[in-house]
Structure formats: C-alpha cells, structure tokens
Amino acid sequence: MELKRIIGQCAPLFFLAVTFDLVGFIVLLVGLCGSLQIGGRCYGDFLALTGAVLMFFGVGMWVMWYAGNLDADGKRSGFGRIARRLTTRLSSMRGRGDSGKTEEEEMEQEMEEEEQDDGGKSEKNAAYTNEAYEPADNETP
C-alpha cells in the first residue's frame, strides 16, 4: 500500500502524534516503574505527570490530523474512512439486537450509503430557503 494513502494528507501531524504518544508513554512508564533519584530527590511523580501531559498533546495532534484529512465536501480519506467504518460497525453491533441482517448485508448497505453520500448538499436547510414566519390571524406578532 502507498504510504500517503494510509497516512493521509497531513503526514507531519501524523508523525508528531505518534512521536508524542510514544515519548509520553515511555516517560510515563519510567516515572511509574523506575526509581529515578538525582541528588537525593525522587523524580518519579514529575516524569509520570510529564508523560501524561505529552500523551494529552498527542491526542490534540490526532484531532488535528483527523480534521486535516477531511475533504472539503466532508468525505473522509485514508484512516478517516476506515475509522468511520469501524465506528459505524461497532455502533450497529451494539444496537443491532436481532435485526435479521447478516454482516455482509450490513457492509453492503454501508458501502451503498457511502457512495450515495453527497456531503449534505441534498439536505434542505432553512437558512437557504428564506421562508418567513407568518402568524395566524388570532396570534399577535
């Protein structure tokens, strides 16, 4: 597979997010498991909190990477499309119960819905129709 197809359009944000997560996780583990003392002072709590903060910044990078991979028409590409399929599948499995459909039929239906998605262009929005509110005869404006 082509790397750009997998990572998407925002490769620097992807690598920053992975770096923040890996470094944060390593620093967190060193702070929790290691007994690092310099000059008689223990730095375990400092490292654990620093690792957690780095992982939090990594989450911010993941959000920016995901938003950067959204196309202008709202359709997703790369990991965004895979993430949408996965979350749709998981939510349908949770609320499915006994729908009577097989997994293959549900996947086909999801694919058809993705192909028919026009990015919200067909939805009617009141902001564009300019329909004014006119009170009934017995109402006061």
Side-chain angles (χ1 to χ4, degrees):
M1 255 185 197
E2 189 177 320
L3 187 62
K4 183 173 179 155
R5 183 175 173 210
I6 294 172
I7 294 176
Q9 299 169 357
C10 300
L13 286 175
F14 177 82
F15 290 118
L16 273 175
V18 169
T19 303
F20 270 93
D21 283 345
L22 287 177
V23 171
F25 187 69
I26 291 170
V27 170
L28 178 72
L29 284 180
V30 168
L32 292 176
C33 299
S35 59
L36 183 65
Q37 291 186 357
I38 299 175
R41 294 186 179 184
C42 182
Y43 287 93
D45 292 341
F46 171 74
L47 290 176
L49 291 174
T50 303
V53 168
L54 286 174
M55 290 175 69
F56 178 74
F57 286 143
V59 169
M61 294 293 166
W62 282 117
V63 169
M64 289 191 294
W65 171 80
Y66 183 78
N69 281 325
L70 290 176
D71 291 339
D73 59 358
K75 294 186 178 179
R76 293 160 180 87
S77 61
F79 274 157
R81 182 171 296 209
I82 295 169
R84 181 176 182 189
R85 274 194 203 144
L86 179 64
T87 55
T88 304
R89 182 181 297 168
L90 290 175
S91 63
S92 69
M93 284 177 21
R94 181 178 51 167
R96 181 180 351 165
D98 293 323
S99 63
K101 291 184 180 179
T102 64
E103 188 173 330
E104 294 171 359
E105 291 173 347
E106 288 179 5
M107 286 296 292
E108 288 176 11
Q109 183 180 2
E110 288 175 16
M111 295 296 287
E112 289 173 5
E113 288 174 1
E114 270 188 22
E115 291 172 1
Q116 293 173 356
D117 185 22
D118 61 353
K121 295 176 185 173
S122 65
E123 295 178 11
K124 192 165 188 168
N125 191 340
Y128 298 111
T129 57
N130 197 16
E131 295 176 2
Y133 170 74
E134 296 184 20
D137 292 335
N138 58 358
E139 293 181 21
T140 57

